[in-house]
Amino acid sequence: GEKAGLQPGDALIALNGTPAPTLREFFQALLALQVMAGDRIKVGVRRKGTTVEEEVDVVLGSSYDDPER
């Protein structure tokens, strides 16, 4: 399927039903849930003016500023 069920332009706004209005809060919620690769989570996204919920599989990847890339 589509990677993460997300589309370009989606704004992440919730994680498993808990509002996470900033990216920092979203990542803090991920850490608090101790999410692992392969876990399935629900993310709330704002897409083209509407709010939708997507079930996604967690995939771990390297960061853009990874010096090993």
Side-chain angles (χ1 to χ4, degrees), residues 2-66:
E2 193 174 81
K3 268 199 178 175
L6 301 175
Q7 299 176 7
D10 283 355
L12 301 170
I13 58 170
L15 178 63
N16 283 352
T18 302
T22 68
L23 196 54
R24 177 181 292 248
E25 288 172 293
F26 186 86
F27 284 115
Q28 287 173 337
L30 272 177
L31 289 172
L33 288 171
Q34 298 182 346
V35 175
M36 304 288 288
D39 287 351
R40 197 154 186 77
I41 58 173
K42 289 183 183 177
V43 293
V45 298
R46 189 168 19 262
R47 179 180 295 154
K48 298 178 183 172
T50 349
T51 300
V52 297
E53 191 173 73
E54 295 278 352
E55 272 201 8
V56 299
D57 294 314
V58 175
V59 177
L60 301 180
S62 59
S63 117
Y64 286 109
D65 57 357
D66 182 353

